[in-house]
Amino acid sequence: MKTVYTNVNILNGTKDMVLQENMMLTVENGRIVSIEEAKDTTANNIIDLQGKYLIPGLINLHIHTPGTGFPKKKESDSTKLAKLIMSNKLLQQIGKMICRSALKTELLSGTTTVRTVGGLGHFDSQLRDEINGGKSIGPRVFSCDSAVTIPGGHMEGSVAYGAHSIKEFEKFIEANAKANVDWIKLMITGGVLDAKVRGEPGEVKMTAEQVKACCDKAHSLGLKVCAHVESTKGIVIALENGVNTIEHGAAMNDEIIELFKQKDAALVCTISPAIPLAKFDPTISKATEIVLYNSEVLLEGILSGTKKCLENGIPVGLGTDTVCPFITHYDMWRELEYFHKLVKVSRNYALHTGTLINASILGIENETGSIEVGKSADFIVVDENPLTFGFSTIRKPYLVHFKDQQYLQPKIKKNEICERELDNYLASL
């Protein structure tokens, strides 16, 4: 079926985008078939968007589906909870339902492509196939399924598996490949929430030999590798041994920049998860003194490393690291705003990054990421120009379009505490 969207202003997501006013966009069989100045048409299905703004669907390169990100009244043990969910078929169905709901929320908030980077078993790949088969609602999914680390490594026992030997690492990656994952995820360093002392949010856990073995096995199976890394030393180990994208990041030197160039690697910047732990009142975030200190270290490292990569032409993508505390499945727009305000890029470049650059990191820049003829009809319609009024204009989309699916004024369950505290922080910038 052909649908014509007329009287709309378009920001197409390309690097040098300029506002195209009073345009008409035609979609047929889930593809953009024409973009032209608005004119009279005899098409049967015409939707007048009354001067609203159309932008590409957002792409989130770093999410975890098992959860909401909503703050909890009482902290729970994620490892015990994961083991409970995976203990029998009934609880697995409940766990998968939570992940299914997360993906639906991502789409209805305007994120039309996601990469899941550590989950429960093979839920994410199974849900990707459900979505592709039209059995559930969700975005385009690139899955890693469960990540791999060492015993005691970051998120081991919940969304990561702890391998004891090189052979076990390789066997686990082969099993993920058999489940038809799109990427392999490594947890090379520790994280803020599992650091035991001040100053080591990125303590190295995996050895160079282990990282190389994992990357070699993944690459031999045609899979790229992304890695949780929160320290300078961890970045060096990751890049020297074959990791394709560094997730989160840290302070960087010229040696690291040269490694990025030599290895044709990219950085995926995740500002969102560090904000609540580093900047909120601890009575709200429930961050301990060690977590608060290490979160400040991590945030400054991410920001400085991201700036250095951009200054040196290294590809930088964006992700939210949902479901860290206060980081929800509907707030990708905040990551763009943080990128603009804290990394000091223009809103044009932030939008370009959250769409077409993210698409290129996934290798799908010819399929999506910009509003161009021939591409998938993945776009959001909002009431105001996000480059003028800020990316908060995306928080209540008028319309979300994904391939051949249209969602008019989608309703999303939001958390009042998250909204209030995150809005207060943005207002302070």
Side-chain angles (χ1 to χ4, degrees):
M1 185 175 179
K2 183 181 290 187
T3 303
V4 176
Y5 295 92
T6 191
N7 189 18
V8 64
N9 304 308
I10 296 176
L11 292 163
N12 67 13
T14 59
K15 184 177 181 180
D16 300 317
M17 75 180 108
V18 294
L19 183 64
Q20 299 170 276
E21 298 182 272
N22 194 28
M23 301 298 289
M24 185 167 74
L25 181 145
T26 303
V27 173
E28 187 172 12
N29 298 324
R31 295 274 163 186
I32 299 170
V33 297
S34 71
I35 304 169
E36 55 192 324
E37 291 185 3
K39 61 182 181 182
D40 292 338
T41 176
T42 58
N44 292 327
N45 193 21
I46 304 172
I47 297 177
D48 185 348
L49 291 175
Q50 301 178 334
K52 290 178 169 48
Y53 294 80
L54 186 151
I55 64 174
L58 302 183
I59 297 176
N60 191 338
L61 293 182
H62 194 117
I63 74 164
H64 303 275
T65 58
T68 62
F70 296 176
K72 302 172 184 176
K73 292 181 180 178
K74 183 180 179 182
E75 286 303 308
S76 58
D77 186 321
S78 60
T79 300
K80 287 183 179 179
L81 185 58
K83 287 180 178 178
L84 177 64
I85 289 172
M86 302 304 289
S87 64
N88 64 63
K89 289 185 178 181
L90 175 61
L91 291 176
Q92 285 177 22
Q93 289 304 311
I94 293 171
K96 191 182 285 188
M97 181 178 66
I98 293 169
C99 299
R100 186 182 291 114
S101 176
L103 290 170
K104 181 178 179 180
T105 298
E106 291 279 350
L107 177 61
L108 297 185
S109 69
T111 300
T112 53
T113 301
V114 301
R115 183 179 59 168
T116 68
V117 288
L120 296 173
H122 297 300
F123 288 179
D124 291 339
S125 289
Q126 292 165 4
L127 291 170
R128 174 204 59 200
D129 295 343
E130 271 190 20
I131 293 165
N132 291 344
K135 296 178 180 178
S136 64
I137 295 171
R140 181 183 291 101
V141 175
F142 287 79
S143 66
C144 291
D145 288 352
S146 180
V148 62
T149 186
I150 64 166
H154 185 60
M155 303 303 291
E156 188 262 337
S158 57
V159 298
Y161 172 78
H164 295 79
S165 65
I166 295 294
K167 188 173 182 179
E168 195 173 348
F169 275 109
E170 293 174 340
K171 187 177 179 181
F172 179 82
I173 290 170
E174 287 173 351
N176 265 13
K178 197 170 183 179
N180 202 26
V181 298
D182 300 289
W183 285 65
I184 295 296
K185 171 70 179 295
L186 309 181
M187 301 291 197
I188 292 177
T189 75
V192 165
L193 293 176
D194 49 31
K196 299 294 189 292
V197 299
R198 289 163 56 105
E200 61 166 35
E203 181 184 17
V204 175
K205 301 290 185 180
M206 292 179 65
T207 67
E209 181 186 20
Q210 290 168 338
V211 174
K212 185 177 188 305
C214 289
C215 291
D216 286 350
K217 174 55 70 173
H219 294 158
S220 75
L221 296 168
L223 297 169
K224 289 188 174 181
V225 179
C226 55
H228 169 101
V229 185
E230 293 185 0
S231 66
T232 302
K233 184 178 179 181
I235 295 174
V236 173
I237 290 172
L239 293 176
E240 284 183 339
N241 292 286
V243 168
N244 300 102
T245 66
I246 300 295
E247 310 295 307
H248 313 303
M252 299 186 194
N253 52 33
D254 292 339
E255 174 193 7
I256 287 175
I257 294 299
E258 188 57 35
L259 277 172
F260 267 108
K261 292 177 179 178
Q262 289 175 10
K263 303 295 184 176
D264 194 25
L267 171 70
V268 175
C269 170
T270 60
I271 301 169
S272 293
I275 295 296
L277 297 175
K279 300 300 181 182
F280 286 8
D281 187 314
T283 61
I284 294 169
S285 68
K286 297 183 173 63
T288 65
E289 191 275 334
I290 289 175
V291 167
L292 182 63
Y293 179 88
N294 286 336
S295 297
E296 287 278 10
V297 172
L298 175 61
L299 179 58
E300 289 308 310
I302 288 174
L303 296 178
S304 67
T306 298
K307 290 174 183 176
K308 192 168 183 68
C309 281
L310 290 173
E311 289 164 2
N312 287 275
I314 306 301
V316 173
L318 297 176
T320 57
D321 202 9
T322 306
V323 293
C324 287
F326 291 87
I327 312 305
T328 71
H329 286 290
Y330 53 77
D331 266 352
M332 179 61 187
W333 68 265
R334 291 188 193 273
E335 187 70 22
L336 272 64
E337 196 70 9
Y338 295 148
F339 193 50
H340 162 61
K341 291 192 172 184
L342 298 176
V343 182
K344 308 299 183 184
V345 302
S346 68
R347 283 203 177 99
N348 291 59
Y349 191 77
L351 180 58
H352 173 57
T353 300
T355 54
L356 192 55
I357 289 180
N358 275 3
S360 68
I361 289 173
L362 290 174
I364 56 170
E365 67 274 20
N366 294 325
E367 171 69 12
T368 190
S370 59
I371 307 300
E372 297 180 81
V373 171
K375 288 193 172 184
S376 182
D378 306 343
F379 56 80
I380 317 167
V381 176
V382 295
D383 290 331
E384 296 177 303
N385 186 344
L387 303 188
T388 303
F389 294 96
F391 293 113
S392 62
T393 57
I394 301 171
R395 75 193 309 166
K396 291 182 180 179
Y398 174 76
L399 181 146
V400 174
H401 200 290
F402 175 54
K403 298 182 179 179
D404 59 356
Q405 302 163 35
Q406 180 194 95
Y407 305 95
L408 185 64
Q409 295 181 302
K411 300 294 188 293
I412 300 165
K413 180 182 178 181
K414 298 190 177 183
N415 180 273
E416 182 181 341
I417 298 173
C418 288
E419 294 286 281
R420 181 185 69 237
E421 298 302 326
L422 292 168
D423 283 352
N424 287 344
Y425 174 73
L426 268 179
S428 72
L429 295 178

